[in-house]
């Protein structure tokens, strides 16, 4: 059997999740896939990416570093929810780049949680799956993340943006216009969030740092405006909203880096009508929105220097 969880881009609403704010992610057509079957008394998973097999006890005792700690985190959270002690033998693979700001850790946890729940007959309601996987990620990596990536992986649907209220996980889907291309350009600067200032930003925000707070407040307004703009298919408004979002991440939240600012400029010069970094920042990817007819030209122009793909 196989279980799949998609990566995501976030159209707008960055770093708002752990502040109980709004976000507008889109599940993309790159994903993490777990394949496997029930086994006797332990959980064994082979990662194709790392060419490594990890074993975790049914109570979640396992590796404390590397990708295996994420597996152990999910196993432990599911055990705490009363998952029957059913073992698993399988592989994890997929075509979602890791550390690129495309929600790969979230998708990784969700794919594993779906597989392990399924073989043990545990039926988690979607929002509980989201929250369980968020806790597993925070527990295993120490990154005090919100639920954006897990929510996009569980609740996102192809061709739709997910309007997400992170205070309650209330959500609804908004269809994307057919002729809107969502492109992803990878800066090539990959990172692990625990090695960035991600946790510092959250601390600064909670301590009331004025520019950090200003970013969250203005970003929540931008999400609301972006939902209206999407529903009206108002691309000029989307362009302004994404530009303001990029500036706020650069100046107020200070999570952009010159390479991402530059890639945003290049995407706009190449013919995208809107662009900004997506995900936590500090590296990773930029999203570029383009009229579908122009998308091949934008991809061609950016592909000379970056890995680019059409995500939606
Ligand atoms: C990462 C985290 C998310 C979220 C984003 C920024 O993807 O995992 O919880 O905070 O950064 O919006």
């Amino acid at each position: 059997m196989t279980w799949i969880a998609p990566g995501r881009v976030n159209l707008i609403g960055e770093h708002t999740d752990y502040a109980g704010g709004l976000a507008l992610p889109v599940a993309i057509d790159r994903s993490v896939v777990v394949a496997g079957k029930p086994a006797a008394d332990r959980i064994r998973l082979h990662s194709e990416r790392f060419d490594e097999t990890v074993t975790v006890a049914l109570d979640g005792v396992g590796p404390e570093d590397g990708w295996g700690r994420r597996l152990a985190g999910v196993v432990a959270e599911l055990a705490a929810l009363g998952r029957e002690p059913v073992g698993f033998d399988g592989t994890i693979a997929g075509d979602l780049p890791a550390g690129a700001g495309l929600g790969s850790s979230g998708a990784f946890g969700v794919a594993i949680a779906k597989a392990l729940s399924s073989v043990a007959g545990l039926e988690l309601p979607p929002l509980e799956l989201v929250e369980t996987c968020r806790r597993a990620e925070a527990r295993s990596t120490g990154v005090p993340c919100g639920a954006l990536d897990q929510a996009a992986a569980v609740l996102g649907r192809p061709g739709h943006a997910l309007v997400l209220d992170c205070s309650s996980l209330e959500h609804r889907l908004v269809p994307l216009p057919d002729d809107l291309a969502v492109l992803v350009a990878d800066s090539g600067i990959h990172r692990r969030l625990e090695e960035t200032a991600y946790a510092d930003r959250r601390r600064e925000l909670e301590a009331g740092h004025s520019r950090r707070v200003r970013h969250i407040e203005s970003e929540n307004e931008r999400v609301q405006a972006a939902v209206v703009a999407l529903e009206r298919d108002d691309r000029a408004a989307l362009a302004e909203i994404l530009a303001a979002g990029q500036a706020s991440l650069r100046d107020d939240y200070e999570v952009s880096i010159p390479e991402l600012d530059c890639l945003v400029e290049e995407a706009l010069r190449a013919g995208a009508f809107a662009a900004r970094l997506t995900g936590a920042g500090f590296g990773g990817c930029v999203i570029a929105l383009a009229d579908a007819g122009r998308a091949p030209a934008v991809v061609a122009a950016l592909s000379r220097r970056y890995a680019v793909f059409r995500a939606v």
Side-chain angles (χ1 to χ4, degrees):
M1 280 185 77
T2 59
W3 297 267
I4 188 161
R8 59 106 191 92
V9 292
N10 193 12
L11 296 181
I12 192 80
E14 224 62 89
H15 289 270
T16 49
D17 59 351
Y18 51 77
L22 305 172
L24 193 58
V26 178
I28 63 175
D29 66 357
R30 300 251 173 150
S31 49
V32 174
V33 183
V34 171
K37 53 181 184 344
D41 52 2
R42 40 120 192 77
I43 291 167
R44 211 172 61 156
L45 200 63
H46 179 77
S47 160
E48 289 188 1
R49 172 169 290 145
F50 296 104
D51 191 21
E52 187 191 7
T53 303
V54 158
T55 303
V56 172
L58 292 173
D59 59 1
V61 173
E64 287 174 8
D65 54 13
W67 65 274
R69 74 198 154 144
R70 289 205 162 88
L71 171 62
V74 174
V75 175
E77 286 295 337
L78 290 176
L81 290 178
R83 177 184 174 277
E84 293 295 324
V86 178
F88 187 76
D89 210 342
T91 57
I92 187 157
D95 57 359
L96 183 63
L102 298 176
S104 57
S105 313
F108 184 95
V110 169
I112 290 173
K114 281 184 173 177
L116 296 183
S117 306
S118 162
V119 296
L122 175 67
E123 279 182 32
L124 289 181
L127 297 191
E128 204 175 331
L129 177 60
V130 169
E131 196 36 44
T132 301
C133 293
R134 188 204 61 76
R135 278 200 310 274
E137 177 67 13
R139 158 191 200 137
S140 58
T141 64
V143 174
C145 61
L148 171 70
D149 307 344
Q150 294 79 8
V154 172
L155 307 168
R157 295 291 173 268
H160 289 74
L162 179 75
V163 186
L164 181 67
D165 180 339
C166 301
S167 65
S168 58
L169 292 184
E170 240 173 73
H171 58 279
R172 71 185 172 92
L173 292 162
V174 175
L176 295 172
D178 285 340
D179 65 336
L180 175 71
V182 180
L183 308 175
V184 171
D186 189 344
S187 70
I189 301 171
H190 291 187
R191 73 284 182 268
R192 303 196 311 172
L193 281 188
E194 64 265 40
E195 290 161 359
T196 69
Y198 185 94
D200 296 338
R201 290 296 176 276
R202 182 168 179 164
R203 258 195 308 276
E204 291 156 5
L205 178 71
E206 286 167 359
H209 183 298
S210 62
R211 276 187 295 145
R212 308 296 187 241
V213 172
R214 189 166 66 188
H215 166 74
I216 299 300
E217 289 175 353
S218 63
E219 189 79 347
N220 282 328
E221 285 169 14
R222 282 187 287 274
V223 175
Q224 285 170 322
V227 173
V228 174
L230 253 193
E231 285 174 332
R232 294 188 184 148
D233 197 7
D234 182 344
R235 298 186 187 193
L238 283 174
E240 268 181 41
I241 295 163
L242 267 65
Q246 175 69 22
S248 183
L249 288 173
R250 185 190 60 216
D251 302 334
D252 280 352
Y253 222 62
E254 294 180 283
V255 295
S256 190
I257 54 173
E259 290 86 343
L260 290 172
D261 298 334
C262 168
L263 184 45
V264 165
E265 291 301 315
E266 286 189 46
L268 296 171
R269 261 203 306 278
F273 69 82
R276 66 170 203 90
L277 76 81
T278 196
F282 311 106
C285 288
V286 154
I287 46 162
L289 306 185
D291 303 338
R294 303 191 80 163
V298 178
V299 171
L302 292 176
S303 297
R304 284 184 218 120
R305 293 179 53 197
Y306 304 98
V308 182
F309 65 92
R310 182 166 174 181
V312 178

